[in-house]
Amino acid sequence: MKARVLSGVQPTGNLHIGNYLGAIANWVKIQHQYESIFCIVDLHAITVHQKPEELRAKIRELAALFLAAGIDPAHSSIMVQSQVSGHSELAWMLTCVTPMGWLSRMTQFKAKSAAQEAVGDGLFQYPVLMAADILLYQAAVVPVGDDQSQHLELTRDIAERFNSIYGETFVVPETKLPGFGARIMGLDDPFAKMSKSAAGAHHAIALLDPADKIRKTFNRATTDSNPAVDFETMGPGVQNLLNIYQAFSNDNAEAMRNHFTGMRYGDLKKQVAEMVIAHLEPLQQRYQEITKDPAYVESILQQGAERVRPLAAETVHLTKQRMGLW
Ligand code: ATP
Ligand code: MG
């Protein structure tokens, strides 16, 4: 039997090249080596307020983007978290073995709660739900971007703690980061990771952005006071542009140096933009095709949920048994 992979994306905002390079492109690459489950984590999305109509639409959009990016639904399950009740059921059981001190150390909680007027408890509990998403399927491998490394460590801690209190129950999962593109930074602020929830108009490149917009956004990207690329002294903005290029082109370090050393920033930005456009255009075409048939996307999500429900039920049953529940 193949080991299981699980990963997810929140159906909020616009999917960007950070999500693509950090997570989805990696899923596409490794999906056939594993039994793969890719989850649209709508229960995570509601940890901050979402307009119901928008959330409903975003779930479908995200499913279509997974397909357009190359997730193979004949092999991999694409499913919506709230369609499988085991996620929230297991989350409660895991909440009861998770010390609050562990959760209060999570840097994402600190960053996301700082932006909220009233912080919902869901934002604090978020990493436990994420642990439940993974442990529910006994996933061995979790391909994510670097920003999720801390949550993955917590997932392992929760699994180990549960196993040591109640006996072997959960597979302890490994984090799998991509070789390039594990942490893409904001184009307007190279000290903050690119995020769907960030507000700046020139912050991110969305996967569905038209070519003109992509060129404009790269053109405005923050660089530094050097006139041209210097690998010894470059700042984080230039580094980020080179990282984006390399993650799409797969060039090695030497090829990157040879190609970009001494290149003026205006030309660098143009080359990065054209590299990104060349990769996104076929994805965008597939997306247009797929969304012509909304019933197809619905059927993929139904099929995905049906496929994984028995796996989820098995773990919920085992966990209840271990804890002495009815
Ligand atoms: P939000 O701001 O709503 O949290 P997000 O951009 O962080 O949005 P998520 O849905 O939280 O997106 O994360 C989906 C996946 O994308 C995760 O695997 C995460 O690690 C990865 N990811 C998110 N941002 C980046 C980034 N800037 N670089 C690389 N990977 C990223
Ligand atoms: Mg995030």
Side-chain angles (χ1 to χ4, degrees):
M1 229 178 69
K2 286 181 177 173
R4 217 168 271 155
V5 151
L6 180 120
S7 195
V9 176
Q10 297 186 68
T12 50
N14 294 320
L15 211 68
H16 53 72
I17 54 172
N19 304 129
Y20 180 73
L21 296 170
I24 296 165
N26 205 13
W27 304 354
V28 172
K29 243 180 254 160
I30 66 171
Q31 61 181 327
H32 290 105
Q33 295 164 37
Y34 300 96
E35 183 186 336
S36 302
I37 304 171
F38 301 117
C39 190
I40 296 170
V41 289
D42 55 348
L43 296 171
H44 284 283
I46 57 169
T47 55
V48 297
H49 176 72
Q50 305 296 331
K51 292 190 182 122
E53 276 319 308
E54 275 173 28
L55 181 58
R56 244 189 295 280
K58 280 287 164 192
I59 291 169
R60 274 80 183 172
E61 178 186 303
L62 193 53
L65 278 167
F66 284 7
L67 292 165
I71 300 298
D72 169 12
H75 173 80
S76 306
S77 303
I78 301 177
M79 41 79 61
V80 182
Q81 186 185 28
S82 65
Q83 285 238 74
V84 181
S85 59
H87 289 260
S88 27
E89 237 180 313
L90 184 61
W92 175 253
M93 294 185 260
L94 298 180
T95 294
C96 295
V97 300
T98 306
M100 287 173 71
W102 289 6
L103 296 177
S104 57
R105 284 199 289 273
M106 295 296 110
T107 55
Q108 182 179 289
F109 171 71
K110 289 178 199 164
K112 286 208 169 176
S113 58
Q116 299 296 314
E117 252 174 56
V119 181
D121 186 32
L123 208 51
F124 190 64
Q125 300 289 334
Y126 180 115
V128 185
L129 178 59
M130 179 166 158
D133 299 336
I134 297 162
L135 303 182
L136 185 62
Y137 300 107
Q138 306 287 3
V141 177
V142 186
V144 285
D146 179 57
D147 64 300
Q148 292 301 328
S149 295
Q150 195 187 30
H151 288 163
L152 259 297
E153 246 166 71
L154 183 87
T155 300
R156 280 191 289 277
D157 289 344
I158 292 173
E160 278 164 5
R161 186 176 165 93
F162 191 101
N163 286 349
S164 80
I165 297 173
Y166 294 107
E168 276 310 298
T169 307
F170 298 116
V171 170
V172 180
E174 259 175 52
T175 308
K176 190 174 180 71
L177 301 181
F180 299 126
R183 191 176 191 83
I184 301 299
M185 308 309 281
L187 295 175
D188 56 350
D189 174 7
F191 294 98
K193 85 158 189 80
M194 191 177 281
S195 283
K196 287 191 254 100
S197 55
H202 308 289
H203 170 76
I205 303 292
L207 295 191
L208 295 175
D209 277 349
D212 275 1
K213 184 160 185 231
I214 295 177
R215 290 191 187 101
K216 264 189 211 134
T217 308
F218 274 119
N219 201 29
R220 303 180 75 130
T222 304
T223 49
D224 53 40
S225 54
N226 289 346
V229 178
D230 176 339
F231 278 80
E232 285 11 281
T233 62
M234 68 185 165
V238 174
Q239 177 76 66
N240 189 38
L241 291 172
L242 292 169
N243 284 348
I244 292 169
Y245 185 97
Q246 189 177 26
F248 279 104
S249 74
N250 270 311
D251 285 342
N252 64 26
E254 199 195 340
M256 289 294 292
R257 267 180 188 261
N258 291 342
H259 185 72
F260 285 107
T261 298
M263 188 181 285
R264 302 190 68 83
Y265 288 160
D267 293 329
L268 165 69
K269 288 173 171 179
K270 276 190 196 125
Q271 294 214 0
V272 180
E274 295 313 317
M275 174 59 70
V276 172
I277 290 165
H279 278 81
L280 293 190
E281 263 175 358
L283 184 153
Q284 293 177 355
Q285 277 165 17
R286 285 194 295 273
Y287 178 82
Q288 297 310 334
E289 283 301 308
I290 290 162
T291 49
K292 277 183 195 154
D293 185 1
Y296 170 68
V297 177
E298 294 286 330
S299 74
I300 294 298
L301 293 176
Q302 292 301 344
Q303 176 193 312
E306 274 158 34
R307 253 198 236 150
V308 303
R309 257 187 212 114
L311 311 175
E314 199 179 314
T315 306
V316 168
H317 179 74
L318 178 66
T319 313
K320 283 182 174 174
Q321 246 186 349
R322 290 279 196 268
M323 296 184 97
L325 296 170
W326 182 255

